[in-house]
Amino acid sequence: MLHNYNMYGMIEDRIAIAGAAPAFVMPDGSFVTYVQLGAEVGRMANALAATGVKPGDRVTVQVEKSFPNAVLYLACLKAGAVFNPLNSGYTSAELDYFLGDAQPSLLICQRSSLGLLAPIAERHAVRATLLLEPDGTGSLVDLAKSQTADHTTHICAADDLASLIYTSGTTGRSKGAMITHGNLASNTAALCETWRITSSDILLHALPIFHVHGLFVALNTTLSQGARILWQPKFDLDTALALLPQATLMMGVPTFYTRLLSSEAFGRQTCRTMRLFVSGSAPLLAETHIEFKDRTGHAILERYGMTETGMITSNPYAAEGRLAGTVGYPLPGISVRVADPEGKVLGPGEIGVIEVKGPNVFKGYWRNPEKTKAEFRADGYFITGDLGTIEPDGRLSIVGRAKDLIITGGLNVYPKEIEDELNAFPGVGEAAVVGIPHPDFGEGVIAVLAKASGADGNRIESESRIIEQLAGRLAKFKCPKRIFIVDELPRNAMGKVQKADLRTRYGQTFKS
Ligand code: AMP
């Protein structure tokens, strides 16, 4: 018999076993069992077919997080359609580009964005547009309700497309990463094994689902094991504090953890049922890791991944092996190396670009063979664009994005080294170090410091005092020439600091 690599198969198999166990627990406490989830996904898959969506067709979705939005994702997998989620923050020009590039046959949006999207959809000959509102109602849901639950899961090869996800594109145009069923299935299996996810787990799900972290990592791992999901529309501190004592597992971006720590009510009692806290999508400050451990007894497990590759490395499950400031070891079946810009593989301890190979690595950029070719080595390794270093035992640490590397007076400065120093100063919440044009040095180093939250932030010292103290600790060329103190750093929806914004904002600093 032909093996079906459809990622939904891993979840469908579990539905038969998990049966009446709750799959999704809604914010109001009501729940949807695994059997009910299977029926909803079947109806939604039939609704897709009813609008003319065929296997391989793109379904572009720009809506707030809701339960039917998760069902729609699963239904796309089941039907062999390509799920194409878009962040709700995009502008009209960006949406025009995405719809023109993805050429979906179906668009799902909210009534509030119909005025903006309808003409764009028409221009790009999108066949149908249906609505899905943040409260889970809308014409898509109505159509699904009128369908039967019986639906035969589409048979997929491992390299058939499951999803098209546009990269955040901080430099140049966003590119559509083609993620296959084989990518998702292999990453799901590797993560379930590494993080020991079982049907006894209860996940607090507060991440968005237009991004790999909340979508693939969180949903595929838990649903394929028959675990329970405490479904939240977004991260809300008070709700998280109330729900954590019912949960065993949380997946978050670093800002979730700093926000939990900002509450005096958060501590060991809140975490009494917790088994594992996972962090990723942006660097977790060593300070946060340490403070979290002191407060709760839990060592946050940091992992590293990206849209194009899914998850690449993880700190080990054994708590004593989870080290602050490192992202751990390659997941089973994945190879990681560090190379120079020409592709020469570097030895332990040397800093270079992280390259990855394995069943997790995407198929390429959508309709962009040149870009795809440029980002792969001849032997199949994908060039991540992140800088890192591998210790002799294979542990990886990230130093930053290659494009954030600063070259000042011909010398390389790795922002993370300076950020680590600055983060240890009193009153500093988080430091961001960037290079901006400088008349003598090409680039000049500057630092932007966000004050720590609450009264602690008042302890921050003056620019000159900080520069004076750094002078004793860092070589002169690495020391920031200017330090700016702000209340908050600019971040994207995943909590990543937007360094390109900082370079623009402070770009004129050294202009005479
Ligand atoms: P995205 O494609 O939006 O998931 O972004 C992927 C990028 O996020 C990676 O290339 C890294 O630069 C960054 N990233 C993800 N996880 C981590 C981590 N644990 N530490 C530092 N950076 C990370």
Side-chain angles (χ1 to χ4, degrees), residues 446-495:
I446 64 157
V448 185
L449 307 182
K451 285 193 225 163
S453 60
D456 195 26
N458 300 333
R459 294 166 58 220
I460 202 157
E461 295 170 278
S462 67
E463 175 180 8
S464 56
R465 275 287 297 142
I466 297 175
I467 291 182
E468 207 177 286
Q469 292 171 71
L470 276 181
R473 301 187 208 168
L474 290 171
K476 189 149 186 273
F477 72 96
K478 294 181 185 172
C479 272
K481 298 191 176 1
R482 288 296 314 269
I483 290 182
F484 300 94
I485 296 170
V486 297
D487 289 329
E488 272 181 57
L489 293 172
R491 293 177 194 276
N492 73 2
M494 298 306 290

Side-chain angles (χ1 to χ4, degrees), residues 168 211-212 279-284 302-308 327 384 386 398 401 496:
S168 41
H211 183 269
V212 289
S279 176
S281 296
L284 181 76
E302 186 171 8
R303 92 313 178 266
Y304 159 60
M306 64 194 299
T307 304
E308 290 93 328
V327 291
T384 63
D386 289 315
I398 297 176
R401 293 289 293 166
K496 277 196 243 286

Side-chain angles (χ1 to χ4, degrees), residues 145-168:
K145 276 193 193 132
S146 69
Q147 306 291 314
T148 137
D150 295 330
H151 176 276
T152 306
T153 298
H154 181 71
I155 294 185
C156 290
D159 80 340
D160 280 348
L161 285 200
S163 189
L164 180 65
I165 306 218
Y166 284 95
T167 57
S168 41

Side-chain angles (χ1 to χ4, degrees), residues 348-480:
E350 293 186 279
I351 294 178
V353 179
I354 301 167
E355 300 186 351
V356 186
K357 189 174 174 177
N360 58 312
V361 176
F362 75 134
K363 198 172 166 171
Y365 293 111
W366 175 252
R367 294 181 175 164
N368 202 338
E370 296 82 40
K371 193 75 195 160
T372 304
K373 194 156 174 272
E375 310 232 341
F376 278 89
R377 298 281 177 210
D379 59 359
Y381 275 79
F382 171 65
I383 308 163
T384 63
D386 289 315
L387 294 173
T389 164
I390 300 179
E391 281 161 41
D393 75 346
R395 187 185 275 276
L396 180 71
S397 298
I398 297 176
V399 182
R401 293 289 293 166
K403 64 175 192 297
D404 294 329
L405 174 74
I406 305 167
I407 304 179
T408 179
L411 299 168
N412 285 359
V413 176
Y414 298 99
K416 185 163 188 293
E417 185 188 351
I418 296 119
E419 288 162 1
D420 286 348
E421 288 284 349
L422 288 165
N423 285 329
F425 274 80
V428 175
E430 185 163 353
V433 168
V434 294
I436 53 166
H438 189 287
D440 297 332
F441 302 108
E443 281 187 299
V445 179
I446 64 157
V448 185
L449 307 182
K451 285 193 225 163
S453 60
D456 195 26
N458 300 333
R459 294 166 58 220
I460 202 157
E461 295 170 278
S462 67
E463 175 180 8
S464 56
R465 275 287 297 142
I466 297 175
I467 291 182
E468 207 177 286
Q469 292 171 71
L470 276 181
R473 301 187 208 168
L474 290 171
K476 189 149 186 273
F477 72 96
K478 294 181 185 172
C479 272

Side-chain angles (χ1 to χ4, degrees), residues 140-385:
L140 172 71
V141 181
D142 295 341
L143 180 65
K145 276 193 193 132
S146 69
Q147 306 291 314
T148 137
D150 295 330
H151 176 276
T152 306
T153 298
H154 181 71
I155 294 185
C156 290
D159 80 340
D160 280 348
L161 285 200
S163 189
L164 180 65
I165 306 218
Y166 284 95
T167 57
S168 41
T170 43
T171 49
R173 272 258 144 111
S174 276
K175 304 172 293 286
M178 298 192 284
I179 320 279
T180 68
H181 283 269
N183 294 151
L184 296 183
S186 69
N187 218 225
T188 302
L191 292 174
C192 288
E193 180 189 329
T194 307
W195 298 343
R196 306 197 188 166
I197 294 173
T198 71
S199 59
S200 310
D201 272 315
I202 304 175
L203 171 81
L204 177 59
H205 193 305
L207 288 162
I209 60 166
F210 54 73
H211 183 269
V212 289
H213 195 171
L215 184 63
F216 302 142
V217 181
L219 290 182
N220 295 350
T221 54
T222 46
L223 294 175
S224 67
Q225 297 306 310
R228 186 182 304 188
I229 295 174
L230 305 179
W231 186 248
Q232 287 298 308
K234 61 179 177 26
F235 184 85
D236 172 76
L237 180 58
D238 290 334
T239 316
L241 291 171
L243 287 178
L244 276 175
Q246 301 167 33
T248 65
L249 181 60
M250 182 172 130
M251 297 183 190
V253 289
T255 43
F256 287 11
Y257 295 109
T258 49
R259 284 165 71 187
L260 284 171
L261 287 170
S262 73
S263 163
E264 281 173 19
F266 178 67
R268 275 170 201 267
Q269 267 304 93
T270 334
C271 302
R272 61 188 180 269
T273 58
M274 285 298 291
R275 178 176 75 77
L276 182 64
F277 290 95
V278 176
S279 176
S281 296
L284 181 76
L285 299 187
E287 285 77 7
T288 311
H289 183 99
I290 293 162
E291 193 185 341
F292 201 91
K293 178 100 190 286
D294 286 349
R295 186 93 73 87
T296 66
H298 284 273
I300 299 173
L301 183 152
E302 186 171 8
R303 92 313 178 266
Y304 159 60
M306 64 194 299
T307 304
E308 290 93 328
T309 60
M311 298 305 104
I312 302 168
T313 67
S314 169
N315 268 276
Y317 188 75
E320 60 281 6
R322 298 178 205 161
L323 295 190
T326 83
V327 291
Y329 302 92
L331 290 165
I334 298 176
S335 308
V336 176
R337 67 188 185 193
V338 162
D340 74 6
E342 281 70 49
K344 184 175 146 289
V345 178
L346 300 175
E350 293 186 279
I351 294 178
V353 179
I354 301 167
E355 300 186 351
V356 186
K357 189 174 174 177
N360 58 312
V361 176
F362 75 134
K363 198 172 166 171
Y365 293 111
W366 175 252
R367 294 181 175 164
N368 202 338
E370 296 82 40
K371 193 75 195 160
T372 304
K373 194 156 174 272
E375 310 232 341
F376 278 89
R377 298 281 177 210
D379 59 359
Y381 275 79
F382 171 65
I383 308 163
T384 63

